[in-house]
């Protein structure tokens, strides 16, 4: 009998653990996925509610209306005053295409699904009409317009954010579409938000990550001198600098300035696959970001048991199998601007009820610490010289120190290269970070840097500091 | 029993009654004109609780009244949720509840007069197998599982009731130290039961039988080799089933990534998770959510429906209540005076506990989903009555039967308590 009693206690302990697991997993599911679950495309509550509730408005950070419900012939219709300019961010609600953007991710707020019993009673009996809540974005329409215009008719994406808070100030994807006239949509690819879901080879903008790894792991990297003959042979593979140009003797700052592939490939080989992929993971490669207001596809840094030297050399200069999303590139840039602290990008600033009272405010969240301040500062200094003396000259703004890095990424096959530019300003106290990709456009310094410049300049004119 | 303890139990009962009344009254006033039927339900169920409780404390003093109170609380949440989903279902559920609690009291009364229940292994085994085979012979298919039979216009699920016999049979053998050879008939019996359940596609119940068997085997023998052996066998059988049985693989895949096929195979689990996410900490409020969107909201997925309207906090509280129920059941095993009774209490507590884990775990995507009921909450007559019977045999372990031949007719039920407990 004593044995039975002892064993019974053990069984009870197992049950206690199992039930704790149930509670823990339930809380985990609710806490970390609840919002996304509720806003899911498959949530029929949203479809049902949209028939009896007037959708709330979507506004930018200054109260500019980006999506409004208007009465037309006695019926409520959704109107997007800035149409194409904010199309990908704001999204749409369409019986055929479903929901997208903020209209999708914030549907529970916009429909007031989580309004309390009291609020619902007030609306039903005082106003005789159910209204959802208004969602206030972090977006600044003026910067959004600047980015939209700067990209023009070219395909690509622009992400601008405040590196200190992670607030997304502009997010543009081209080609665009008119959310007010979805019936006229000819190409469904236009619906897809490249800023979050486009994974591109980063090319030389990835050198920032290789650089961070080198500064962290190679003691004497600052005093090393490299010799560039315009190419380097790695095994059977010949990796060359842009235009086969021989950069001669140079230190690491100069190598970043001229974006010397040969030097960075040899740094990659010096680091080895383990350290480089470790740094890439620290910078959150190979991670899908599933936040309440956006889902960012995973950037890729190859993880292989055995990696050949030529693969490693290509990875170090952002070619090979490395891919990245524009949003992730903006996050990396922001982290360097913000002393190595990567803030969680946010699109939603606050939620107010239909009478304009704020009911929920979202605060800045530090998402990851990707590198230490001294290294971030050193990278910043080098990125400043990229803009003053190097490949990023076309991003210069008079009177302000701009930090930047160009990228010209092979798009594969006979296609023209993708043009990249990442930057932030002012370098000593950054208030805006921008990542730009222009697809198949050519050189980053020529095609992408001016776009970033226009957005940063507009931000500085508007008084972002 | 001190006055304070008695007072506390009454406080708990009062809280349950208030909750029960509040829930039904809210539902009554939600519809216009006021739903009289909901008010009748409020009064009727509350009266059933009070009367049952008084019977409990008057005639079965040595039994654990808190277990009964927990059952009231759980069933009340179930009644309210079912009424909100479909009034007729709730009314039938109350009938099942009354049948169940009657069966519970009958078992308690019988246990005073029954002795030597540990001598009938072969009877339990034969009856169990016969009952389990019935659906294959005369059964109807429901929800993919052929585990129902029709009796007088009602569908009955024999595997629910066989749980009871299964526990009795297992305890009959394991009450004494046995050699490997002496254990063989029991092993064979357990394997046959589980085999039939697999053939009837009743995987959830099969898993429960298996877990209960392993737990009882371990408690009785302390032999970790039996446990490991069973688990390895189960793992191997499970893997083969995954490879060969299409519906097993579908379930595992729907569990691993329900979103890959959210409108078809992953549909149930996706809708369940969405309901849990839509409710919030305090729920959308009774009658204000849309739990009817959830498939099988009245039976397998009632936990998700409750989480949506009552909120995550109540959902957590429900899990905690089940744990307390198991805890108190196991405590009865600790105070039992012989191995047979201890094993019965453990078996019954483990059955209820594991069943709860299997269904809640499935509904929240912790484990693959297998359709079993949430005891005392999900709609279902077989489940409600069988669960009550399990608690009945669990509670009966503290009632000592009279020595045979000493049963006096004039002795009224309940007189014996003043003796030595
Ligand atoms: Zn070079």
């Amino acid at each position: 009998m004593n044995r039975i009693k002892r064993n019974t206690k053990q069984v009870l302990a197992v049950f206690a653990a199992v039930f704790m697991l149930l509670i823990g997993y339930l809380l985990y599911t609710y806490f970390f996925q609840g919002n996304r679950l509720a806003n899911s495309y498959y949530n029929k509550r949203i479809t049902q509610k949209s028939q009896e509730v007037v959708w709330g408005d979507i506004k930018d950070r200054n109260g500019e209306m980006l999506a409004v419900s208007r009465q037309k012939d006695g019926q409520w219709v959704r109107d997007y005053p800035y149409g194409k300019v904010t199309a990908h961010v704001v999204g749409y609600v369409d019986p055929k295409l479903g929901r997208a953007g903020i209209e999708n991710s914030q549907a529970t707020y916009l429909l007031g699904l989580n309004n309390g019993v009291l609020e619902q009673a007030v609306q039903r009996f005082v106003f005789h009409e159910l209204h959802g809540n208004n969602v206030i974005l972090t977006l600044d329409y003026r910067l959004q317009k600047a980015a939209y215009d700067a990209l023009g008719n070219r395909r690509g994406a622009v992400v601008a954010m405040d590196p200190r808070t992670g607030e997304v100030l502009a997010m543009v994807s081209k080609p665009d579409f008119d959310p007010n006239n979805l019936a006229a949509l000819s190409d469904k690819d236009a619906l897809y938000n490249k800023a979050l879901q486009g994974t591109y080879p980063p090319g030389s903008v990835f050198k920032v990550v290789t650089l961070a790894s080198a500064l962290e792991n190679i003691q004497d990297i600052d005093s090393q001198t490299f010799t560039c003959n315009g190419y380097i042979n790695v095994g059977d593979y010949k990796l060359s600098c842009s235009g086969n140009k021989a950069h001669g003797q140079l230190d690491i700052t100069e190598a970043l300035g001229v974006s010397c592939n040969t030097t960075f490939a040899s740094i990659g080989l010096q680091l080895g696959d383990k350290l480089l992929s470790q740094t890439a993971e620290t910078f959150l490669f190979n991670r899908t970001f599933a936040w309440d207001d956006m889902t960012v596809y995973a950037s890729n840094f190859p993880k292989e048991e055995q990696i050949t030297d030529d693969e490693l050399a290509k990875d170090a200069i952002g070619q090979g199998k490395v891919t990245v999303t524009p949003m992730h590139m903006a996050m990396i840039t922001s982290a360097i601007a913000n002393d190595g602290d990567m803030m969680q990008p946010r699109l939603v600033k606050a939620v107010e009820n239909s009478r304009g009272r704020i009911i929920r405010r979202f605060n800045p969240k530090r998402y990851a610490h990707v590198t230490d301040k001294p290294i971030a500062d050193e990278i910043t200094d080098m990125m400043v010289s990229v803009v003053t003396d190097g490949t990023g000259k076309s991003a210069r703004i008079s009177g302000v120190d701009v930090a930047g890095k160009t990228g010209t990424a092979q798009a594969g096959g006979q296609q023209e290269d993708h043009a990249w530019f990442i930057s932030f300003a002012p370098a000593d106290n950054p208030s805006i970070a921008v990542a730009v990709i222009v697809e198949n456009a050519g050189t980053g310094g020529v095609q992408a840097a001016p776009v970033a410049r226009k957005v940063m300049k507009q931000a500085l004119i508007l008084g972002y500091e | 029993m001190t006055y304070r303890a008695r007072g506390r139990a009454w406080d708990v009962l009062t809280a349950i009654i208030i909750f029960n009344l509040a829930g039904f009254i809210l539902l009554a006033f939600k519809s216009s004109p006021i739903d009289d039927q909901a008010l009748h339900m409020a009064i009727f169920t509350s009266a059933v609780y009070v009367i049952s409780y008084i019977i409990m404390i008057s005639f079965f003093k040595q039994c654990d009244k808190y277990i009964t109170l927990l059952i009231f609380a759980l069933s009340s949440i179930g009644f309210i949720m079912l009424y909100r989903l479909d009034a007729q279902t709730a009314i039938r559920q109350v009938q099942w509840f009354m049948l169940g609690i009657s069966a519970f009291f009958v078992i308690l009364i019988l246990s005073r007069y029954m002795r030597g229940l540990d001598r009938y292994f072969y009877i339990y085994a034969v009856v169990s197998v016969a009952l389990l085979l019935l659906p294959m012979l005369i059964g109807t298919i429901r929800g993919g599982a052929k585990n129902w039979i029709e009796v007088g216009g009602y569908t009955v699920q024999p595997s629910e009731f066989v749980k009871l016999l299964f526990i009795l049979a297992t305890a009959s053998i394991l009450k004494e130290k046995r050699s490997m050879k002496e254990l063989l008939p029991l092993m064979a019996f357990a394997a046959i039961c589980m085999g039939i359940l697999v053939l009837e596609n009743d995987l959830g119940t099969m898993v429960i039988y298996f877990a209960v068997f392993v737990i009882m085997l371990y408690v009785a023998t302390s032999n970790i080799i039996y446990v490991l052996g069973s688990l390895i066998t189960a793992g191997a059988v499970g893997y083969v089933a995954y490879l060969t049985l299409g519906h097993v693989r579908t379930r595992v895949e729907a569990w691993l990534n329900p979103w890959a096929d959210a409108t078809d195979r992953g549909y149930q689990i996706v809708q369940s998770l969405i309901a849990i996410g839509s409710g919030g900490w305090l729920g959308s409020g009774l009658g204000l959510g849309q739990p009817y969107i959830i498939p099988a909201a009245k039976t397998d997925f009632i936990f998700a429906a409750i989480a949506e309207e009552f909120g995550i906090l109540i959902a957590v509280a429900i899990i905690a209540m089940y744990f307390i129920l198991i805890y108190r059941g196991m405590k009865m095993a600790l105070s039992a005076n012989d191995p047979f009774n201890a094993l019965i209490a453990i078996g019954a507590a483990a059955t209820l506990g594991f069943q709860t884990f299997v269904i809640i775990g499935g509904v929240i995507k912790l484990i693959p989903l297998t359709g079993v009921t949430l005891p005392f909450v999900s709609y279902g007559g077989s489940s409600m009555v069988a669960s009550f019977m399990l608690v009945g045999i669990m509670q009966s372990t503290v009632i000592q039967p009279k020595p045979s031949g000493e049963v006096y007719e004039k002795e009224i039920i309940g007189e014996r308590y003043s003796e030595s407990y």
Side-chain angles (χ1 to χ4, degrees):
Chain A
M1 266 316 271
N2 284 332
R3 247 186 6 186
I4 289 187
K5 284 178 184 170
R6 189 200 65 204
N7 295 344
T8 304
K9 284 180 191 160
Q10 291 171 356
V11 169
L12 190 57
V14 172
F15 267 106
V18 162
F19 274 66
M20 284 308 289
L21 187 65
L22 272 185
I23 292 180
Y25 192 75
L26 176 64
L27 293 177
Y28 162 82
T29 304
Y30 179 68
F31 206 74
F32 290 101
Q33 297 167 9
N35 246 314
R36 289 165 44 72
L37 286 167
N39 285 300
S40 159
Y41 175 71
Y42 300 104
N43 192 352
K44 295 180 186 166
R45 290 162 190 79
I46 291 174
T47 336
Q48 283 186 6
K49 271 275 176 183
S50 23
Q51 278 144 29
E52 46 180 282
V53 180
V54 181
W55 286 72
D57 301 330
I58 301 175
K59 308 175 184 180
D60 88 340
R61 61 190 301 128
N62 304 311
E64 203 72 54
M65 288 291 185
L66 306 182
V68 278
S69 291
R70 286 192 210 288
Q71 250 174 336
K72 190 181 163 193
D73 311 328
Q75 272 205 321
W76 288 97
V77 291
R78 202 67 168 154
D79 181 35
Y80 305 98
Y82 294 111
K84 294 178 174 182
V85 181
T86 56
H88 290 97
V89 182
V90 171
Y92 50 82
V93 187
D94 184 77
K96 265 195 237 129
L97 297 167
R99 294 181 285 124
I102 293 295
E103 295 272 51
N104 178 43
S105 70
Q106 307 303 310
T108 46
Y109 281 124
L110 291 167
L111 285 170
L113 275 178
N114 31 24
N115 278 351
V117 177
L118 195 68
E119 170 73 24
Q120 288 187 37
V122 168
Q123 292 197 359
R124 214 179 271 277
F125 299 114
V126 181
F127 301 102
H128 303 288
E129 193 158 46
L130 289 175
H131 278 265
N133 300 306
N134 303 328
V135 170
I136 301 165
L137 302 185
T138 57
L139 213 70
D140 186 326
Y141 173 72
R142 299 166 299 179
L143 287 178
Q144 177 77 7
K145 183 80 165 75
Y148 181 87
D149 291 342
L151 200 53
N153 285 328
R154 295 171 292 176
R155 303 168 72 90
V158 180
V159 176
M161 61 193 233
D162 185 330
R164 299 160 298 186
T165 59
E167 291 181 349
V168 176
L169 303 170
M171 179 160 74
V172 173
S173 173
K174 295 269 178 99
D176 55 24
F177 61 93
D178 183 0
N180 292 314
N181 190 10
L182 282 169
L185 185 79
S186 55
D187 181 12
K188 267 201 176 179
D189 281 350
L191 295 177
Y192 141 99
N193 186 351
K194 291 176 171 170
L196 304 178
Q197 291 154 11
T199 48
Y200 300 94
S204 298
V205 289
F206 185 79
K207 283 174 185 159
V208 170
V209 177
T210 308
L211 179 61
S213 189
L215 292 172
E216 204 156 303
N217 297 307
I218 304 172
Q219 291 275 311
D220 62 340
I221 188 76
D222 290 318
S223 55
Q224 282 189 25
T225 344
F226 303 88
T227 311
C228 167
N229 300 319
Y231 66 92
I232 182 173
N233 284 314
V234 191
D236 296 336
Y237 183 76
K238 184 180 163 190
L239 188 149
S240 41
C241 281
S242 172
N244 290 319
K245 187 177 174 192
H247 292 111
Q249 294 253 322
L250 69 188
D251 67 11
I252 188 155
T253 305
E254 290 161 335
L256 190 79
V258 296
S259 202
C260 177
N261 288 345
T262 309
T263 303
F264 274 88
S266 69
I267 291 174
L269 295 171
Q270 240 187 90
L271 280 165
D273 174 51
K274 223 178 126 216
L275 289 175
L276 188 57
S277 76
Q278 208 175 51
T279 307
E281 302 250 319
T282 311
F283 276 84
L284 306 180
F285 275 76
N286 301 329
R287 190 96 72 92
T288 303
F289 307 108
W291 293 306
D292 283 350
D293 44 3
M294 63 184 113
T295 299
V296 187
Y297 283 17
S299 296
N300 180 58
F301 188 88
K303 267 196 295 196
E304 279 150 30
E305 283 295 308
Q306 289 284 318
I307 186 166
T308 57
D309 277 356
D310 60 309
E311 286 292 331
L312 176 58
K314 282 192 236 170
D315 290 346
I317 60 162
Q319 289 293 163
K321 290 177 188 146
V322 184
T323 58
V324 67
T325 60
M327 175 56 81
H328 188 200
M329 219 51 239
M331 287 158 64
I332 291 171
T333 313
S334 295
I336 289 160
N338 195 38
D339 300 338
D341 283 336
M342 189 185 276
M343 306 302 287
Q344 178 179 323
R346 288 176 306 122
L347 271 172
V348 180
K349 200 173 170 65
V351 179
E352 60 178 25
N353 68 12
S354 53
R355 297 179 296 288
R357 198 172 61 80
I358 300 281
I359 55 171
R360 177 103 200 250
R361 218 181 273 282
F362 296 91
N363 296 315
K365 252 189 260 172
R366 195 177 83 154
Y367 193 66
H369 181 73
V370 296
T371 193
D372 294 333
K373 185 176 183 334
I375 294 176
D377 287 347
E378 209 175 337
I379 298 174
T380 302
D381 289 344
M382 295 185 194
M383 284 172 71
V384 171
S385 51
V386 168
V387 175
T388 49
D389 313 314
T391 53
K393 289 193 190 108
S394 48
R396 277 191 292 202
I397 299 172
S398 62
V400 183
D401 277 342
V402 175
K405 180 72 195 85
T406 54
T408 306
Q410 291 165 19
Q414 296 300 308
Q415 297 181 73
E416 186 78 51
D417 295 341
H418 294 317
W420 274 100
F421 195 71
I422 55 170
S423 60
F424 55 90
D428 52 345
N429 188 17
S431 58
I432 182 162
V434 184
V436 177
I437 178 162
V438 191
E439 281 177 26
N440 311 117
T443 319
V446 178
Q447 294 292 333
V451 176
R453 178 180 181 275
K454 281 182 191 157
V455 178
M456 288 186 292
K457 193 162 178 214
Q458 179 70 1
L460 298 171
I461 291 170
L462 292 173
Y464 279 89
E465 54 183 23
Chain B
M1 189 197 292
T2 64
Y3 172 76
R4 249 186 64 80
R6 182 175 296 163
R8 204 185 307 141
W10 276 105
D11 289 347
V12 175
L13 181 66
T14 311
I16 294 168
I17 301 279
I18 290 171
F19 175 85
N20 190 51
L21 290 173
F24 278 114
I25 289 171
L26 199 70
L27 287 177
F29 282 89
K30 243 211 96 210
S31 71
S32 57
I34 293 168
D35 181 1
D36 289 340
Q37 195 175 260
L39 295 176
H40 297 158
M41 282 286 277
I43 294 160
F44 185 78
T45 49
S46 300
V48 170
Y49 290 152
V50 173
I51 293 165
S52 309
Y53 183 71
I54 290 172
I55 295 175
M56 187 78 195
I57 57 167
S58 316
F59 299 113
F60 306 103
K61 277 183 195 144
Q62 67 277 63
C63 295
D64 186 338
K65 56 184 176 296
Y66 286 101
I67 290 183
T68 319
L69 290 173
L70 284 165
I71 296 173
F72 292 172
L74 292 168
S75 65
S76 170
I77 296 173
F79 291 155
I80 293 168
M81 199 66 230
L82 288 173
Y83 193 89
R84 182 251 177 282
L85 287 165
D86 174 30
Q88 287 312 309
T89 309
I91 292 167
R92 258 174 287 143
Q93 178 82 334
V94 172
Q95 291 167 355
W96 295 129
F97 179 88
M98 291 173 66
L99 189 62
I101 201 156
S102 310
F104 169 73
F105 286 134
V106 167
I107 286 176
L108 290 188
I109 295 166
L110 287 179
S111 64
R112 282 166 206 283
Y113 303 99
M114 304 269 253
R115 342 188 62 230
L117 278 175
D118 53 347
R119 287 174 306 193
Y120 308 116
F121 170 73
Y122 284 99
I123 296 180
Y124 300 141
V126 169
V127 175
S128 293
V129 172
L131 283 175
L132 285 178
L133 281 173
L134 271 183
M136 289 179 117
L137 305 174
I138 56 165
T140 41
I141 296 179
R142 270 238 214 142
K146 192 180 168 102
N147 53 0
W148 300 82
I149 52 169
E150 274 194 42
V151 179
Y154 291 101
T155 46
V156 178
Q157 194 178 353
S159 60
E160 285 285 350
F161 298 96
V162 173
K163 282 173 187 165
L164 208 69
L165 295 171
F166 186 82
I167 292 166
L168 286 169
T170 309
S172 307
I173 297 284
L174 293 175
K175 66 180 183 206
E176 283 162 28
K177 205 167 161 49
R178 303 283 186 182
S179 71
M180 190 72 140
K181 202 177 145 202
E182 288 170 308
L183 283 177
L184 276 179
L186 177 63
M187 298 272 186
F189 163 65
I192 291 170
C193 288
M194 290 174 214
I196 298 173
L197 288 168
V198 171
L199 291 179
E200 285 169 1
N201 217 344
D202 193 355
L203 295 177
T205 312
M206 192 275 284
V207 170
I208 295 164
Y209 275 49
F210 174 76
V212 170
F213 180 72
V214 172
I215 288 169
M216 291 177 76
L217 193 63
Y218 172 71
V219 170
T221 62
S222 305
N223 195 334
I224 202 79
I225 299 198
Y226 287 148
V227 177
L228 291 179
S230 308
L231 289 178
I232 291 167
T233 316
V237 170
Y239 187 65
V240 171
Y242 172 77
L243 292 181
T244 54
L245 297 177
H247 60 275
V248 174
R249 196 192 311 223
T250 307
R251 279 188 193 189
V252 174
E253 275 161 12
W255 167 61
L256 288 174
N257 189 5
W259 300 94
D261 196 0
T263 53
D264 185 14
R265 279 182 294 181
Y267 183 70
Q268 289 190 314
I269 185 75
V270 160
Q271 290 301 328
S272 166
L273 290 173
I274 287 175
I276 291 168
S278 298
W281 290 114
L282 300 172
S284 57
L286 186 57
L288 296 173
Q290 281 111 308
Y292 42 82
I293 290 172
I294 310 163
K298 287 185 249 175
T299 51
D300 297 1
F301 283 92
I302 196 160
F303 185 77
I306 292 169
E308 179 182 350
E309 292 212 326
F310 286 94
I312 299 298
L313 293 179
I314 295 283
V316 168
I318 288 174
I319 299 174
M321 281 196 267
Y322 278 107
F323 179 70
I324 300 169
L325 182 68
I326 299 155
Y327 167 74
R328 298 199 77 99
M330 297 263 177
K331 247 181 81 177
M332 308 201 94
L334 293 177
S335 58
N337 45 16
D338 67 80
F340 180 70
N341 277 332
L343 285 169
I344 285 194
I346 291 159
T351 308
L352 292 170
F354 202 76
Q355 181 165 342
T356 305
F357 170 71
V358 163
I359 187 59
I360 296 183
V363 165
I364 66 176
K365 202 177 88 73
L366 178 62
I367 54 170
L369 181 76
T370 48
V372 294
T373 52
L374 186 60
F376 303 110
V377 179
S378 289
Y379 174 73
S382 298
S383 164
M384 180 65 92
V385 176
S387 301
F388 262 118
M389 288 169 84
L390 282 173
V391 176
I393 57 166
M394 182 203 282
Q395 298 263 30
S396 72
T397 57
V398 293
I399 298 176
Q400 279 188 353
K402 293 167 188 293
S404 48
E406 282 184 35
V407 183
Y408 300 111
E409 272 181 40
K410 61 177 178 183
E411 201 169 28
I412 54 158
I413 298 164
E415 206 178 74
R416 290 177 52 82
Y417 304 123
S418 51
E419 289 173 14
S420 58
Y421 296 101

